[in-house]
Amino acid sequence: MSTDVGGATELWLLWKRANEVVRADVVGDMTTQTGLSEPDLSVMVQLSDAGGMLRQSAIAARLGWDRTRLSHLLTRMEARGHVARTRVTNGVEITLRPAGQRVVEASLPGLEASARRHILDKLGDDDAKALRRILDRLLSGDA
Amino acid sequence: MSTDVGGATELWLLWKRANEVVRADVVGDMTTQTGLSEPDLSVMVQLSDAGGMLRQSAIAARLGWDRTRLSHLLTRMEARGHVARTRVTNGVEITLRPAGQRVVEASLPGLEASARRHILDKLGDDDAKALRRILDRLLSGDA
DNA sequence: GAAGATTGATCGATCAATCTTT
DNA sequence: AAAGATTGATCGATCAATCTTC
């Protein structure tokens, strides 16, 4: 009755597990340090990276999210005073407000440290390089 | 004003993105093929693997989940007729019911194929081996 | 009282339907 | 009509508090 789990399935389970653990570690650090949720920070990093302003559709594209999820999230972020919405031709423009800018700048060093500790520090230089290569390969849409 | 994202942060963003994409691909296949949610299948795979019966605490431990999440999920799975709860000494025993057994057996080949397609097939043999090694390393709790 | 499990409340994500602007 | 965005409903996850059994 025992199910013989195949090689690809086993890799999938391992992948999923590693992800949950790493994510829980990093996100745990982040929320205790900044009180910021992970999706909030994802959006604000994109905004900050782009100079503080992006089309909503551009954010969705960069993060690979669907419109609905982003719209709901932005509603909450707007309520927190971190971003502002402005109707423009062909869409909506999202700007990072001062409070948002402050909070993202305060968060980035901690995020860097956390990512280093929970990912980079566990790997040697070779594996770190290999991991980047592998992740890139998994992301290239050739399958 | 543009934020210079450090190396570890960049790796974290890449990791997160790759995960979302791979997960969406595999889970997408799975739900269209079987109508089963991913957490449901996770639990049932563990049960099936263990011969059809496990302590609730053992499932939580194997999956690295907290008790609350598992309890709520089992309530839903029980309602679907896939598992049964039995009070025993020192806890609760979960059994895979015939309907659950059927559905998990029907799902596994598709899961194997999907995991192969979305992960293994995108990597060469070397990278596949490296990925297993890296994931194992990230999971060993030495940090 | 400590470990295992449940409950209820709240928050976030997903799905289907709708609205708006070009 | 098509693309961008919003809304409301439902489902799953998380948090704090509680209950049960040893």
Side-chain angles (χ1 to χ4, degrees):
Chain A
M1 189 174 185
S2 171
T3 314
D4 187 22
V5 169
T9 302
E10 197 193 349
L11 181 57
W12 158 248
L13 293 176
L14 183 61
W15 164 268
K16 212 158 48 75
R17 187 86 157 85
N19 240 280
E20 288 164 357
V21 169
V22 170
R23 169 173 294 248
D25 286 345
V26 175
V27 171
D29 285 353
M30 232 176 55
T31 54
T32 62
Q33 284 173 16
T34 71
L36 219 53
S37 86
E38 195 265 314
D40 280 54
L41 187 55
S42 292
V43 168
M44 292 201 275
V45 165
Q46 295 301 324
L47 281 169
S48 179
D49 234 33
M53 184 180 285
L54 275 175
R55 291 296 174 91
Q56 187 163 328
S57 56
I59 300 176
R62 292 187 184 209
L63 294 174
W65 292 0
D66 72 21
R67 291 179 170 76
T68 299
R69 179 183 179 188
L70 183 58
S71 184
H72 280 302
L73 178 58
L74 286 173
T75 299
R76 284 173 249 136
M77 293 179 69
E78 203 177 8
R80 289 175 195 121
H82 289 161
V83 299
R85 280 172 156 122
T86 316
R87 284 220 60 92
V88 294
T89 316
N90 283 340
V92 172
E93 197 151 61
I94 308 298
T95 56
L96 191 55
R97 305 211 334 189
Q101 181 70 28
R102 241 177 287 124
V103 86
V104 69
E105 276 171 6
S107 301
L108 286 176
L111 177 58
E112 173 74 11
S114 184
R116 179 171 305 281
R117 183 148 42 92
H118 296 302
I119 305 180
L120 272 184
D121 285 355
K122 293 194 178 179
L123 304 175
D125 284 352
D126 298 353
D127 278 349
K129 255 183 56 182
L131 180 57
R132 279 180 212 275
R133 186 180 64 240
I134 289 167
L135 295 176
D136 275 332
R137 206 154 289 176
L138 289 174
L139 276 174
S140 8
D142 43 64
Chain B
M1 187 174 185
S2 172
T3 315
D4 187 21
V5 168
T9 300
E10 197 193 348
L11 181 57
W12 158 248
L13 294 175
L14 183 62
W15 165 269
K16 210 158 49 75
R17 187 85 158 83
N19 237 282
E20 287 164 358
V21 169
V22 170
R23 169 172 293 249
D25 286 345
V26 175
V27 171
D29 285 354
M30 233 177 54
T31 53
T32 60
Q33 283 172 17
T34 71
L36 220 51
S37 87
E38 196 265 314
D40 280 54
L41 187 56
S42 293
V43 169
M44 292 201 275
V45 165
Q46 295 302 324
L47 281 169
S48 179
D49 235 33
M53 184 181 283
L54 275 175
R55 291 297 173 92
Q56 186 161 330
S57 56
I59 299 176
R62 292 187 184 209
L63 295 174
W65 291 1
D66 71 22
R67 292 180 169 76
T68 299
R69 179 183 180 188
L70 183 58
S71 184
H72 280 303
L73 177 59
L74 286 172
T75 299
R76 284 174 249 133
M77 294 178 69
E78 204 178 7
R80 289 175 196 122
H82 289 161
V83 298
R85 280 173 156 121
T86 317
R87 284 221 61 91
V88 295
T89 316
N90 284 340
V92 172
E93 198 151 61
I94 308 299
T95 56
L96 191 56
R97 305 215 331 194
Q101 180 69 29
R102 239 178 288 126
V103 86
V104 70
E105 277 171 4
S107 301
L108 287 176
L111 178 58
E112 172 75 10
S114 184
R116 178 172 305 281
R117 182 148 42 93
H118 296 301
I119 305 180
L120 273 184
D121 285 355
K122 293 193 178 179
L123 305 175
D125 285 351
D126 299 352
D127 278 348
K129 257 183 57 183
L131 180 56
R132 280 180 211 274
R133 186 181 64 240
I134 289 167
L135 295 176
D136 276 331
R137 204 155 290 176
L138 289 174
L139 275 175
S140 9
D142 42 64

